[in-house]
Amino acid sequence: MVMDFQSGVVDGYPPDVRQAVLDGVSRATAVARQRGNPVIYVRLALRNGAPEVSPRNILFSRVAPLESFNEHDARTLVHPAVEPDPADVVVLKKRASAFSGSDLGVVLRSLDVTHLVLTGVATSGVVMSTLCAASDLDYELTVLHDACADHDDQVHRVLCEKVFPLHARVISVADWATSS
């Protein structure tokens, strides 16, 4: 799963971090496609005026007035460096978790997916939220730590080294690419 790799999100990272995480996702999607695994992209995209955002939601009530995540805004499109192939699935979500406000569960069930490999920006946002939801739904989980990024590198490290291993296998793209 390639989560929140939208131009408006990815471009907010420093150039070295942005390039490293885009390279990691590019390699991971190439390996997944070679293996015949479905590649699923997840985008945050709100309706005009963001009627799905409650003023009680601290995070999203800050984002909604900016109209930066409007479903028609080019900044919500997948970053051109990692854009989907025609056979890939693109899911629109309305909250931090890829499962919340989307049809991801339907897609995964119809494809008979039981193991999710997670990549995303930000580690403390979409990756953490999706990992928790997917763990509760009994998915087998792998997090590709070098295909995830966070604006706070220390938070990224703590999540990948201490929190995520309680729920998932956390490995590099290179190690995942050579595993079976």
Side-chain angles (χ1 to χ4, degrees), residues 10-172:
V10 174
D11 290 343
Y13 282 81
D16 58 328
V17 173
R18 177 175 55 241
Q19 192 58 55
V21 74
L22 288 171
D23 289 347
V25 168
S26 291
R27 180 152 187 228
T29 56
V31 169
R33 290 181 187 114
Q34 284 176 332
R35 292 179 178 173
N37 299 134
V39 177
I40 300 170
Y41 286 78
V42 179
R43 294 174 41 217
L44 174 63
L46 305 173
R47 292 175 184 88
N48 288 333
E52 58 273 269
V53 176
S54 167
R56 295 181 302 278
N57 186 308
I58 293 171
L59 174 64
F60 280 86
S61 63
R62 284 188 220 146
V63 171
L66 302 176
E67 292 292 323
S68 59
F69 289 99
N70 178 287
E71 61 190 7
H72 303 292
D73 191 310
R75 294 173 291 186
T76 70
L77 299 177
V78 175
H79 195 280
V82 293
E83 63 188 4
D85 281 357
D88 296 336
V89 176
V90 178
V91 171
L92 299 182
K93 66 178 181 122
K94 305 299 180 187
R95 291 289 188 274
S97 169
F99 288 94
S100 188
S102 77
D103 62 354
L104 178 61
V106 172
V107 170
L108 295 174
R109 283 189 303 278
S110 71
L111 294 174
D112 200 27
V113 171
T114 60
H115 183 173
L116 303 178
V117 178
L118 306 180
T119 69
V121 288
T123 312
S124 62
V126 67
V127 180
M128 181 177 66
S129 296
T130 302
L131 177 118
C132 290
S135 178
D136 283 347
L137 293 169
D138 297 324
Y139 284 95
E140 183 178 352
L141 297 165
T142 299
V143 175
L144 303 180
H145 65 78
D146 53 346
C148 298
D150 199 275
H151 285 290
D152 186 326
D153 192 51
Q154 184 176 4
V155 169
H156 173 80
R157 280 194 309 277
V158 167
L159 288 170
C160 288
E161 294 173 10
K162 298 189 179 290
V163 179
F164 292 174
L166 299 172
H167 306 276
R169 183 171 149 212
V170 181
I171 60 175
S172 68

